[in-house]
Amino acid sequence: MDDTQNVRPGGRLKVETHGLDVIGDADRKGRPRQLFWPWFGANVSVLGLSYGSFALGFGVSFWQALVAGAVGIVFSFLLCGFVAVAGKRGSAPTMVLSRAAFGVRGNRLPSAISWMLTVGWETALTALATLAAATVFERLGWGGGTSTKVIALVVVTALVIAAGVMGFDVIMRLQTVITVVTGVLTVMYAVLVLPEIHWDAVRAIPSGPAQSFVGTLVFMVTGFGLGWVNAAADYSRYLPRRSSSAGVVGWTTFGGSLAPLVLLVFGLLLAGSSPDLDKAVAGDPIGALTTVLPTWFLIPFAVVAVLGLVGGAVLDIYSSGLALLAAGLRAPRYVAALIDGALMVAGTVYIVFVADDFLTPFMAFLITLGIPIAAWCGVMLADLALRRRDYDEADLYRPSGRYGDVPLLPIAIVVAATLVGWGLVTNGTEQWLAWQGYLLGPLGLGGRQGDWAYANLGVLAALAVSFAATLVLGRSRVRAQESAPASPGTAEEARA
């Protein structure tokens, strides 16, 4: 990556001025392997340990959960890798490159959905970091009540918002530090909790039916890579055009998958060894993990927990700001980041001080917004696969250009795939989502209380339907776009 981006003479950092604009060739440097740092740093969070408990909650065995988790994690980050290729081919943020498929103003719909998803993720991660810090302080006897949570909230949100406002260069440097520190401390955590693992108890967990296995797999897909696909090109856009596409896909997938895979194994072993720990994770996914630690390691654990969660939240607030701009907000990038930061603080206050349960609304949020994002991802991947040329950067900002203004076909595909997806999922006790699952009965899957009710087939269905429909119906549109003559002017002129 460009190590001089946003650095003043003398080495002082400044706020990034890049927003939705194209990154010029002079500023595009580095190699695909440098994508490892932001992706690993954003996903090394100890929240990955809690996913072991989440997975076993579907009623599957250790081995079923491990296979479903491994497949779901790698597959979901592979999707990110493919979307990241668009970044090095088009030099613009993910939700600007999406305009090639959805039109310049038609793309505002998926941009708005992307914005909601990333704001939701950064809020969830910030809330978890706040709860984790408060739990550690309580175990140390240094507080743990409301005042402690308020202090933790201020510190965590200040870190996240500051990095999001400063932009790319600060984020890349921060993620490198987070990767090293959290990587070392996470290994120490794993060594310390080994005595708490009881293989006989883990092995005794009974296997679940195929529906439970599928539900576990889909939850892993939505909980990991699918939550990042709408931001996957935001960092690869700084790479030179000549960069290897295979390298972009490989390093993105490897960087995103490595830590979650390792953490999932330990999380499954811990949750499977202790029913009490398994139950506690639902209320405080990070704080519950402190109960198996010696007191002297609580401060290091707080560091690894908070930094890991901050790493993910920082990438989210950066990309949510870009998505908000792509949805139509006319403001500098740092203003969009500040707006998202304010919403993040409000949401965190609700989760920390008002909500009684974290896991249930979190899963409902993942599945409900994961379906339209999966539908968008299917269109985006098929559109990318159909293209033989790089994007015309100027026309990405020109409604009268080759990509059009509000094309009906891709929007109709996303709406249709989303409706199919919502009809094939349910969200348990969340009454405001009781309308979902309306296709489970008509398609012979047992209805809202049947065997397939919690398999969350809708996520995979939305992805598959939108990808296949775009591949079949969108070919002529892409060919017409690529046969059009080169557009006059530059991307900067088109944005003016």
Side-chain angles (χ1 to χ4, degrees):
M1 299 298 174
D2 181 3
D3 291 331
T4 64
Q5 176 69 31
N6 303 330
V7 181
R8 295 182 187 274
R12 290 181 299 164
L13 296 171
K14 66 177 182 179
V15 175
E16 179 188 2
T17 56
H18 287 306
L20 298 185
D21 52 316
V22 168
I23 305 302
D25 289 338
D27 292 327
R28 301 181 65 179
K29 299 178 182 179
R31 297 181 179 181
R33 66 170 178 261
Q34 291 171 281
L35 292 173
F36 174 84
W37 300 108
W39 286 107
F40 185 89
N43 290 282
V44 72
S45 163
V46 291
L47 178 61
L49 291 166
S50 300
Y51 272 82
S53 176
F54 300 162
L56 294 178
F58 281 88
V60 294
S61 68
F62 168 80
W63 292 110
Q64 285 179 309
L66 181 59
V67 172
V71 173
I73 289 169
V74 174
F75 171 72
S76 65
F77 281 109
L78 189 61
L79 298 179
C80 292
F82 288 131
V83 174
V85 172
K88 71 104 177 178
R89 290 178 62 178
S91 321
T94 313
M95 298 315 296
V96 170
L97 299 170
S98 176
R99 292 173 177 175
F102 290 92
V104 175
R105 288 194 296 176
N107 190 61
R108 291 181 179 178
L109 173 62
S111 294
I113 297 171
S114 171
W115 173 71
M116 287 189 287
L117 182 65
T118 47
V119 169
W121 262 112
E122 71 202 41
T123 300
L125 294 175
T126 303
L128 285 172
T130 302
L131 290 170
T135 300
V136 169
F137 286 131
E138 183 176 14
R139 278 205 61 198
L140 289 169
W142 298 349
T146 301
S147 59
T148 305
K149 291 178 180 178
V150 170
I151 294 172
L153 173 65
V154 171
V155 173
V156 171
T157 54
L159 280 172
V160 174
I161 294 173
V165 168
M166 292 299 293
F168 177 80
D169 189 64
V170 170
I171 290 173
M172 292 299 292
R173 296 184 183 198
L174 179 63
Q175 295 298 75
T176 302
V177 173
I178 288 174
T179 296
V180 174
V181 174
T182 55
V184 171
L185 292 177
T186 300
V187 171
M188 291 179 63
Y189 178 91
V191 172
L192 288 171
V193 300
L194 280 176
E196 303 296 329
I197 294 173
H198 306 291
W199 176 243
D200 289 341
V202 174
R203 188 173 52 185
I205 299 173
S207 298
Q211 298 92 326
S212 297
F213 175 83
V214 173
T216 307
L217 187 150
V218 175
F219 179 71
M220 291 296 173
V221 171
T222 54
F224 287 99
L226 193 62
W228 291 108
V229 288
N230 52 317
D234 293 353
Y235 304 93
S236 56
R237 65 179 175 142
Y238 286 88
L239 291 173
R241 297 180 193 277
R242 65 180 181 276
S243 300
S244 165
S245 294
V248 171
V249 174
W251 283 106
T252 298
T253 305
F254 180 59
S257 300
L258 180 59
L261 286 172
V262 175
L263 292 168
L264 175 65
V265 173
F266 276 92
L268 288 170
L269 292 172
L270 284 172
S273 300
S274 172
D276 291 338
L277 175 63
D278 188 20
K279 183 179 180 180
V281 165
D284 185 358
I286 306 300
L289 298 171
T290 66
T291 59
V292 295
L293 286 173
T295 303
W296 67 266
F297 193 72
L298 289 178
I299 292 298
F301 177 83
V303 172
V304 68
V306 172
L307 282 182
L309 294 165
V310 165
V314 162
L315 258 66
D316 276 320
I317 196 171
Y318 181 76
S319 293
S320 69
L322 294 175
L324 183 57
L325 296 179
L329 177 70
R330 292 186 174 274
R333 184 202 58 80
Y334 64 86
V335 172
L338 286 171
I339 292 173
D340 290 348
L343 293 172
M344 177 189 74
V345 171
T348 301
V349 168
Y350 173 78
I351 293 174
V352 172
F353 298 103
V354 179
D356 295 324
D357 177 29
F358 170 81
L359 182 57
T360 302
F362 179 59
M363 292 180 69
F365 160 74
L366 283 182
I367 298 300
T368 301
L369 281 186
I371 286 173
I373 287 297
W376 167 86
C377 183
V379 173
M380 184 73 178
L381 289 175
D383 181 83
L384 185 62
L386 291 171
R387 296 190 181 278
R388 300 292 178 266
R389 301 180 182 178
D390 289 345
Y391 297 98
D392 185 308
E393 294 168 353
D395 276 354
L396 289 171
Y397 303 90
R398 186 181 291 121
S400 60
R402 72 186 66 213
Y403 301 123
D405 191 10
V406 188
L408 295 180
L409 177 63
I411 296 174
I413 289 174
V414 166
V415 171
T418 298
L419 292 176
V420 170
W422 280 339
L424 293 173
V425 299
T426 58
N427 274 292
T429 59
E430 294 299 295
Q431 294 301 316
W432 64 284
L433 295 174
W435 54 270
Q436 294 179 346
Y438 44 81
L439 294 179
L440 291 169
L443 294 181
L445 297 173
R448 291 185 174 93
Q449 303 300 322
D451 292 338
W452 289 97
Y454 298 101
N456 295 322
L457 292 174
V459 176
L460 298 181
L463 179 66
V465 167
S466 60
F467 180 83
T470 304
L471 209 59
V472 173
L473 302 176
R475 187 178 302 273
S476 60
R477 181 170 177 265
V478 171
R479 293 292 171 263
Q481 291 174 354
E482 296 192 327
S483 64
S487 58
T490 65
E492 289 72 19
E493 293 171 344
R495 291 182 66 236

